[in-house]
Amino acid sequence: MSVVLRLPGGPHRLRTPVAFEAPDSPITSRVVYAAAHVVADPLGENGPGAPAAVDWDSTLAFRRHLWSLGLGVADAMDTAQRGMGLDWPATRELITRSGAEARAVGGRLACGVGSDQLTLADPTLHDIIGAYREQLAVVEDAGARPIVMASRALAKAAKGPEDYLQVYGEVIDAASQPVILHWLGEIFDPELAGYWGGANLDVATDAVLDLISENAPCVDGIKVSLLDADREIALRRALPEGVRLYTGDDFNYPDLIRGDEAGHSDALLGIFDPIAAVASAALRALDAGDTARYDALLAPTLPLARHLFAAPTYHYKTGVVFLAWLAGHQSHFTMVAGAQSGRSVPHLTELFRLADAAGVLPDPELAAHRMRRFLHVAGVDA
């Protein structure tokens, strides 16, 4: 029996979800990480500015779900509200706990290394390097690959590209394994404007390539989140041999991952959190050389992704957690820092429609029941 829900604008009939076979091995043709969200403790004091209270059992269960689909997990990233509600003590515990879970199940894990524990108003480059190295030790102790995240403190303190090269060079030297770099555009975080030493993206690209060329054996890859497919492809083609380009482009990921005659992007994506099952099936089709099925599965997820990451893009985490609740991965729609208020009722209603069209709501009855409850509390007759 189909499920029909009255939404603002008219009734909506939910589609019958596609059942995918559980994979018996990881994805092989691409290196893929899903950037995972954290589940808040619904009884915690998760208000703006309060220390994050995390539901650890549900948070780790979601990571096991991602690993069961053959995906890697990128943890302690912006999808986990890093620097946007998830403070350093909670982040440190998340990294440690996720590392133990990854070892237990044999899952691929990479974790963010940043400088967000700094409390100084005007930290020096030396302070920033020390903060990065402190977090690097935590990530490596957890057995995860380090992702050297963009630093708001460095964006404020650096005078030019040479300062970025100095800081990143010392952090890379301190790592015991090749690291993943992270270029997060200001659309995701306005405080990162001018990162790599200038507002001009061509100058920034030159600085990135200089850094990678000088440290190529110690750089596994770079995650690029600029939402600019042409720039990403150009950078991918300019990278030294053996250095991966991990797409963070939540607007254009199907084409970038499929690639072209000159190569392809691997992936480290926030959108792979809510579309994990569909993404896994699509990537397994790509493993088998079935690009038609790959395209058919991912094409309906693009309208969802583009709405989810619409401006102001940094509020996309609200939609990610909303979809996790609708899909049954958690029992509530509460976020650390009270971030569930980051999107409007019309935005989340359209997100529901697009998620259904993309086939990422595995239990239509549950999704409809929870959407009806959400609208009722919001004062909307459904």
Side-chain angles (χ1 to χ4, degrees), residues 316-338:
Y316 78 88
K317 299 93 166 170
T318 302
V320 168
V321 174
F322 186 68
L323 292 177
W325 175 57
L326 293 180
H329 293 299
Q330 58 192 77
S331 63
H332 59 84
F333 176 41
T334 302
M335 299 173 67
V336 300

Side-chain angles (χ1 to χ4, degrees), residues 1-3 13-14 16 364-365:
M1 178 184 293
S2 61
V3 178
R13 184 180 300 276
L14 279 80
T16 301
E365 290 187 5

Side-chain angles (χ1 to χ4, degrees), residues 82 111-118 124-140 144-151 153-154 162-182 195-196 211 214-215 217-221:
R82 183 75 182 270
C111 291
V113 172
S115 64
D116 49 326
Q117 78 274 43
L118 288 172
T124 65
L125 298 184
H126 177 76
D127 295 327
I128 295 166
I129 292 167
Y132 266 129
R133 293 186 65 163
E134 178 189 357
Q135 294 197 14
L136 175 65
V138 173
V139 169
E140 294 203 319
R145 183 178 293 281
I147 305 170
V148 185
M149 298 177 65
S151 164
L154 182 55
E162 64 282 355
D163 288 341
Y164 287 88
L165 295 178
Q166 176 190 341
V167 170
Y168 276 84
E170 293 198 30
V171 175
I172 291 169
D173 284 346
S176 64
Q177 60 179 298
V179 305
I180 299 173
L181 304 176
H182 187 194
Y195 212 75
W196 302 113
L211 173 65
E214 292 177 10
N215 298 277
C218 302
V219 177
D220 171 75

